[in-house]
C-alpha cells in the first residue's frame, strides 16, 4: 500500500459460453495479465455466462451461485498464487427469490477485500435486468487492498455521477466498471456512434470530476441465443483513463485483449491539488440531491 505506482488491467473477452468454459478461460487470462505485470485485474460483468438478460426466463436463475462458492474458490486460489488483486463480477444467489449482480474484490492473499452489489438496475429492450437482480443494499464502497484503494461499480452504474462521487470520496484511487454493454444490431447504424461516444464521455467525466483513474472492462461478440431476434453485439472498446480523462489504454471493438496501465498516486495528488474539485464542493447546498425531482 506504500507504493506510489501500481499496474491495473482490464480483460476484454467473448463470454458467450457455458460457465465451466468461461471459468477456465478467465483463469487463464488473469494469469496472462499477471505475467504482463498487472497487479489489479478486472473481469467483465457476469463473467461466467452469456448475457442471459436478453429475455425474462426463470430458467436463467440456475446460472446464479451462492456466496463463496465456485467463483470465489477458484479466483481466491489464483489471487493467492499470483499475489494479485482480482475483481470477479458474478451472478449472486443470496437466498431463494433474492439475486444480485455482484462483484468480489479478492486480495493478494486470497481473502475477500470486499463485496459490491450493483446499485442501479436497468430495464431496456434485451437488457431486462430488473427481472433478475435485486438492487444492491450495501451502498457504494472503496476497498483497501494490498495494492491500492479500489472502487468497484458495475455497468449501469456508469451513468451516475453520484455513484462515482460517493465511491471516490471514500478514497478510491481507481474506479473499476465491469461491463456488459453493446448495440442492438438493427439500431447500430443510426445510433451506434452516439451511444458509444456517450458511454466513453460519461466515464471520462467521472475521472476528471473526481481526479481518479477509471477502468472499464467490457465483453465482445454477437450474442444471439434467442430465436427470431438480432441479439446484442457487445461493443468492446474497454479502456483505462487517467485522472484528467486522458485515455491510457483502449481496446478494439471486436478482439479479446488485455489492457494494462499504471496508476501513479503522485500524479493523482498533483492533479487534485491543481484541480481541487473536492475542496470547492458546496456540500451545504446539495441537500436536494436526495430527492427524486425538485418540483
Amino acid at each position: 500500500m506504500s507504493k506510489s505506482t501500481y499496474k491495473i488491467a482490464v480483460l476484454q473477452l467473448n463470454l458467450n459460453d457455458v460457465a465451466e468454459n468461461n471459468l477456465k478461460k478467465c483463469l487463464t487470462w488473469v494469469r496472462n495479465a499477471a505475467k504482463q505485470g498487472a497487479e489489479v485485474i478486472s473481469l467483465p460483468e457476469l463473467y461466467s455466462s452469456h448475457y442471459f438478460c436478453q429475455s425474462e426466463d426463470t430458467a436463467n436463475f440456475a446460472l446464479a451461485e451462492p456466496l463463496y462458492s465456485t467463483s470465489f474458490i477458484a479466483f481466491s486460489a489464483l489471487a493467492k498464487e499470483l499475489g494479485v488483486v482480482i475483481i470477479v463480477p458474478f451472478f449472486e444467489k443470496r437466498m431463494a427469490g433474492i439475486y444480485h449482480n455482484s462483484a468480489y474484490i479478492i486480495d493478494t492473499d486470497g481473502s475477500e477485500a470486499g463485496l459490491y452489489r450493483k446499485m442501479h438496475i436497468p430495464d431496456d429492450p434485451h437488457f431486462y435486468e430488473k427481472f433478475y437482480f435485486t438492487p444492491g443494499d450495501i451502498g457504494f464502497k472503496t476497498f483497501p487492498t494490498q495494492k491500492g484503494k479500489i472502487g468497484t461499480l458495475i455497468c449501469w452504474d456508469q451513468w451516475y455521477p453520484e455513484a462515482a462521487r460517493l465511491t471516490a470520496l471514500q478514497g478510491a484511487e481507481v474506479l473499476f466498471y465491469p461491463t456488459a454493454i453493446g448495440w442492438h444490431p438493427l439500431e447500430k447504424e443510426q445510433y451506434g456512434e452516439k451511444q458509444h461516444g456517450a458511454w466513453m464521455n460519461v466515464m471520462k467525466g467521472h475521472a476528471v470530476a473526481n481526479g481518479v483513474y477509471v477502468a472499464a472492462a467490457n465483453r465482445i461478440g454477437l450474442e444471439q441465443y434467442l430465436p427470431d431476434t438480432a441479439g446484442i453485439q457487445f461493443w468492446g472498446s474497454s479502456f483505462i483513463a487517467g485522472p484528467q480523462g486522458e485515455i491510457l489504454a483502449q481496446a478494439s471493438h471486436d478482439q479479446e485483449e488485455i489492457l494494462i496501465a499504471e496508476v501513479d498516486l503522485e500524479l493523482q495528488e498533483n492533479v487534485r491539488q491543481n484541480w481541487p474539485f473536492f475542496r470547492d464542493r458546496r456540500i451545504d447546498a446539495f441537500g436536494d440531491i436526495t430527492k427524486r425531482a425538485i418540483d
Side-chain angles (χ1 to χ4, degrees):
M1 298 270 302
S2 61
K3 287 178 60 179
S4 64
T5 64
Y6 56 94
K7 291 184 177 179
I8 61 174
V10 295
L11 306 185
Q12 176 167 292
L13 300 172
N14 186 320
L15 299 167
N16 191 16
D17 207 338
V18 299
E20 180 181 0
N21 292 341
N22 282 341
L23 176 59
K24 291 178 180 177
K25 179 178 193 172
C26 289
L27 290 169
T28 298
W29 278 76
V30 169
R31 188 179 297 278
N32 291 340
K35 287 179 180 177
Q36 296 179 34
E39 299 170 88
V40 184
I41 303 164
S42 179
L43 298 169
E45 181 182 18
L46 299 169
Y47 88 91
S48 67
S49 72
H50 64 286
Y51 184 74
F52 54 86
C53 304
Q54 292 186 50
S55 65
E56 296 183 350
D57 185 349
T58 56
N60 287 327
F61 286 107
L63 297 169
E65 58 181 270
L67 283 174
Y68 313 120
S69 54
T70 303
S71 292
F72 185 83
I73 292 168
F75 286 102
S76 172
L78 187 62
K80 185 175 182 179
E81 175 193 342
L82 300 175
V84 298
V85 176
I86 309 174
I87 298 166
V88 184
F90 69 106
F91 185 13
E92 176 193 348
K93 180 177 182 180
R94 186 172 180 179
M95 61 175 287
I98 299 181
Y99 297 77
H100 295 285
N101 187 334
S102 302
Y104 297 116
I105 297 82
I106 302 177
D107 214 337
T108 58
D109 61 357
S111 66
E112 180 192 49
L115 175 73
Y116 176 71
R117 290 173 174 147
K118 186 174 180 176
M119 294 284 282
H120 299 96
I121 311 297
D123 187 60
D124 284 340
H126 298 294
F127 290 88
Y128 300 119
E129 295 197 14
K130 280 185 165 61
F131 182 80
Y132 296 100
F133 307 130
T134 300
D137 58 353
I138 51 180
F140 304 108
K141 301 289 184 183
T142 289
F143 306 102
T145 74
Q146 293 302 312
K147 296 298 182 179
K149 296 176 182 177
I150 305 305
T152 301
L153 300 158
I154 299 177
C155 202
W156 197 238
D157 292 326
Q158 288 158 341
W159 302 98
Y160 295 88
E162 301 89 346
R165 177 74 87 201
L166 289 169
T167 306
L169 285 173
Q170 297 173 59
E173 297 154 358
V174 188
L175 300 181
F176 282 92
Y177 289 95
T179 300
I181 191 168
W183 294 295
H184 297 302
L186 301 181
E187 297 180 356
K188 180 182 176 182
E189 183 176 353
Q190 183 175 2
Y191 301 112
E193 184 176 349
K194 290 181 180 179
Q195 290 171 342
H196 175 257
W199 177 78
M200 290 280 298
N201 289 338
V202 74
M203 282 185 283
K204 288 166 63 179
H206 300 333
V208 174
N210 295 288
V212 293
Y213 290 80
V214 167
N218 197 12
R219 60 172 69 202
I220 60 165
L222 176 64
E223 297 192 15
Q224 190 179 12
Y225 71 92
L226 293 171
D228 303 319
T229 71
I232 297 174
Q233 182 183 346
F234 291 95
W235 66 44
S237 197
S238 302
F239 71 93
I240 302 172
Q244 292 177 296
E246 69 276 26
I247 297 299
L248 302 177
Q250 184 163 6
S252 65
H253 282 304
D254 58 2
Q255 299 296 312
E256 295 186 311
E257 300 183 46
I258 299 170
L259 297 184
I260 298 178
E262 184 175 78
V263 172
D264 184 335
L265 299 182
E266 291 183 4
L267 171 65
Q268 182 177 53
E269 176 69 8
N270 181 267
V271 169
R272 286 182 173 179
Q273 288 173 352
N274 285 280
W275 281 354
F277 301 138
F278 285 177
R279 182 196 68 191
D280 295 339
R281 295 175 62 242
R282 286 295 307 276
I283 59 174
D284 58 308
F286 292 166
D288 283 346
I289 198 69
T290 60
K291 296 180 180 179
R292 181 66 64 187
I294 302 174
D295 303 296

Short mmCIF file of all heavy atoms in Angstrom, two decimals, residues 159-180:
data_model
loop_
_atom_site.label_atom_id
_atom_site.label_comp_id
_atom_site.label_asym_id
_atom_site.label_seq_id
_atom_site.Cartn_x
_atom_site.Cartn_y
_atom_site.Cartn_z
N TRP A 159 -23.46 5.44 -15.53
CA TRP A 159 -24.13 6.65 -15.99
C TRP A 159 -24.45 7.61 -14.85
O TRP A 159 -25.02 8.68 -15.10
CB TRP A 159 -25.43 6.26 -16.71
CG TRP A 159 -25.17 5.35 -17.87
CD1 TRP A 159 -25.27 3.99 -17.90
CD2 TRP A 159 -24.71 5.73 -19.17
NE1 TRP A 159 -24.92 3.50 -19.14
CE2 TRP A 159 -24.57 4.54 -19.94
CE3 TRP A 159 -24.41 6.95 -19.78
CZ2 TRP A 159 -24.14 4.56 -21.26
CZ3 TRP A 159 -23.99 6.96 -21.09
CH2 TRP A 159 -23.86 5.77 -21.83
N TYR A 160 -24.07 7.29 -13.62
CA TYR A 160 -24.49 8.06 -12.46
C TYR A 160 -23.30 8.73 -11.78
O TYR A 160 -22.48 8.08 -11.14
CB TYR A 160 -25.23 7.15 -11.47
CG TYR A 160 -26.51 6.62 -12.07
CD1 TYR A 160 -26.51 5.45 -12.83
CD2 TYR A 160 -27.69 7.33 -11.96
CE1 TYR A 160 -27.67 4.99 -13.43
CE2 TYR A 160 -28.86 6.88 -12.56
CZ TYR A 160 -28.84 5.71 -13.30
OH TYR A 160 -29.99 5.27 -13.90
N PRO A 161 -23.19 10.06 -11.91
CA PRO A 161 -22.07 10.76 -11.26
C PRO A 161 -22.09 10.63 -9.75
O PRO A 161 -21.04 10.68 -9.11
CB PRO A 161 -22.25 12.22 -11.71
CG PRO A 161 -23.68 12.33 -12.14
CD PRO A 161 -24.07 10.98 -12.67
N GLU A 162 -23.30 10.45 -9.17
CA GLU A 162 -23.38 10.30 -7.72
C GLU A 162 -22.64 9.05 -7.25
O GLU A 162 -21.98 9.06 -6.20
CB GLU A 162 -24.85 10.22 -7.27
CG GLU A 162 -25.69 11.43 -7.64
CD GLU A 162 -26.35 11.32 -9.02
OE1 GLU A 162 -25.96 10.43 -9.81
OE2 GLU A 162 -27.27 12.11 -9.28
N ALA A 163 -22.75 7.96 -8.02
CA ALA A 163 -22.08 6.71 -7.64
C ALA A 163 -20.57 6.88 -7.67
O ALA A 163 -19.85 6.45 -6.75
CB ALA A 163 -22.51 5.59 -8.59
N ALA A 164 -20.06 7.50 -8.73
CA ALA A 164 -18.63 7.74 -8.81
C ALA A 164 -18.15 8.66 -7.69
O ALA A 164 -17.12 8.41 -7.05
CB ALA A 164 -18.29 8.36 -10.16
N ARG A 165 -18.90 9.71 -7.42
CA ARG A 165 -18.51 10.68 -6.38
C ARG A 165 -18.46 10.02 -5.00
O ARG A 165 -17.48 10.17 -4.26
CB ARG A 165 -19.49 11.85 -6.36
CG ARG A 165 -19.20 12.87 -5.27
CD ARG A 165 -17.98 13.71 -5.62
NE ARG A 165 -18.37 14.85 -6.42
CZ ARG A 165 -17.56 15.54 -7.21
NH1 ARG A 165 -16.30 15.18 -7.31
NH2 ARG A 165 -17.99 16.57 -7.91
N LEU A 166 -19.51 9.30 -4.65
CA LEU A 166 -19.57 8.70 -3.31
C LEU A 166 -18.49 7.65 -3.12
O LEU A 166 -17.98 7.47 -2.01
CB LEU A 166 -20.96 8.10 -3.07
CG LEU A 166 -22.07 9.14 -2.88
CD1 LEU A 166 -23.44 8.47 -2.92
CD2 LEU A 166 -21.89 9.89 -1.57
N THR A 167 -18.13 6.97 -4.20
CA THR A 167 -17.04 6.00 -4.11
C THR A 167 -15.71 6.70 -3.98
O THR A 167 -14.86 6.35 -3.15
CB THR A 167 -17.06 5.07 -5.33
OG1 THR A 167 -18.36 4.48 -5.46
CG2 THR A 167 -16.04 3.94 -5.17
N ALA A 168 -15.50 7.73 -4.79
CA ALA A 168 -14.24 8.47 -4.75
C ALA A 168 -14.03 9.18 -3.41
O ALA A 168 -12.89 9.27 -2.92
CB ALA A 168 -14.18 9.47 -5.89
N LEU A 169 -15.10 9.67 -2.80
CA LEU A 169 -14.98 10.38 -1.53
C LEU A 169 -14.50 9.46 -0.40
O LEU A 169 -14.07 9.95 0.65
CB LEU A 169 -16.31 11.02 -1.15
CG LEU A 169 -16.70 12.27 -1.94
CD1 LEU A 169 -18.11 12.72 -1.57
CD2 LEU A 169 -15.70 13.41 -1.68
N GLN A 170 -14.58 8.15 -0.62
CA GLN A 170 -14.07 7.19 0.36
C GLN A 170 -12.61 6.84 0.11
O GLN A 170 -12.06 5.95 0.76
CB GLN A 170 -14.92 5.93 0.34
CG GLN A 170 -16.37 6.17 0.74
CD GLN A 170 -17.22 4.94 0.55
OE1 GLN A 170 -16.96 3.89 1.13
NE2 GLN A 170 -18.24 5.06 -0.28
N GLY A 171 -11.98 7.54 -0.82
CA GLY A 171 -10.55 7.37 -1.02
C GLY A 171 -10.16 6.50 -2.19
O GLY A 171 -8.97 6.16 -2.33
N ALA A 172 -11.09 6.15 -3.06
CA ALA A 172 -10.76 5.31 -4.21
C ALA A 172 -9.72 5.98 -5.10
O ALA A 172 -9.82 7.17 -5.41
CB ALA A 172 -12.00 4.99 -5.03
N GLU A 173 -8.72 5.21 -5.48
CA GLU A 173 -7.72 5.67 -6.43
C GLU A 173 -8.11 5.30 -7.86
O GLU A 173 -7.74 5.98 -8.80
CB GLU A 173 -6.37 5.05 -6.08
CG GLU A 173 -5.87 5.47 -4.71
CD GLU A 173 -4.93 4.48 -4.05
OE1 GLU A 173 -4.68 3.40 -4.65
OE2 GLU A 173 -4.46 4.77 -2.94
N VAL A 174 -8.86 4.20 -7.97
CA VAL A 174 -9.34 3.71 -9.26
C VAL A 174 -10.81 3.33 -9.13
O VAL A 174 -11.21 2.73 -8.12
CB VAL A 174 -8.57 2.45 -9.72
CG1 VAL A 174 -8.96 2.08 -11.14
CG2 VAL A 174 -7.07 2.64 -9.60
N LEU A 175 -11.60 3.68 -10.13
CA LEU A 175 -12.97 3.19 -10.24
C LEU A 175 -12.99 2.15 -11.35
O LEU A 175 -12.72 2.46 -12.51
CB LEU A 175 -13.94 4.33 -10.59
CG LEU A 175 -14.03 5.50 -9.61
CD1 LEU A 175 -15.05 6.52 -10.11
CD2 LEU A 175 -14.39 5.03 -8.21
N PHE A 176 -13.28 0.91 -10.99
CA PHE A 176 -13.43 -0.16 -11.97
C PHE A 176 -14.91 -0.31 -12.32
O PHE A 176 -15.76 -0.32 -11.43
CB PHE A 176 -12.90 -1.49 -11.42
CG PHE A 176 -11.40 -1.61 -11.44
CD1 PHE A 176 -10.65 -1.23 -10.34
CD2 PHE A 176 -10.75 -2.10 -12.57
CE1 PHE A 176 -9.27 -1.33 -10.36
CE2 PHE A 176 -9.37 -2.21 -12.59
CZ PHE A 176 -8.63 -1.83 -11.48
N TYR A 177 -15.18 -0.48 -13.61
CA TYR A 177 -16.54 -0.70 -14.11
C TYR A 177 -16.59 -1.98 -14.94
O TYR A 177 -16.48 -1.94 -16.16
CB TYR A 177 -16.99 0.48 -14.97
CG TYR A 177 -17.27 1.76 -14.24
CD1 TYR A 177 -16.29 2.75 -14.13
CD2 TYR A 177 -18.51 2.01 -13.65
CE1 TYR A 177 -16.54 3.95 -13.48
CE2 TYR A 177 -18.77 3.21 -12.99
CZ TYR A 177 -17.78 4.17 -12.91
OH TYR A 177 -18.04 5.36 -12.25
N PRO A 178 -16.75 -3.14 -14.30
CA PRO A 178 -17.06 -4.35 -15.08
C PRO A 178 -18.36 -4.12 -15.85
O PRO A 178 -19.34 -3.62 -15.28
CB PRO A 178 -17.21 -5.43 -14.02
CG PRO A 178 -16.54 -4.89 -12.79
CD PRO A 178 -16.72 -3.41 -12.85
N THR A 179 -18.39 -4.52 -17.11
CA THR A 179 -19.43 -4.04 -18.03
C THR A 179 -19.90 -5.12 -18.99
O THR A 179 -19.12 -5.99 -19.38
CB THR A 179 -18.86 -2.84 -18.83
OG1 THR A 179 -18.49 -1.80 -17.93
CG2 THR A 179 -19.86 -2.31 -19.84
N ALA A 180 -21.18 -5.03 -19.36
CA ALA A 180 -21.71 -5.80 -20.49
C ALA A 180 -22.65 -4.86 -21.25
O ALA A 180 -23.83 -4.77 -20.95
CB ALA A 180 -22.46 -7.04 -20.02
#
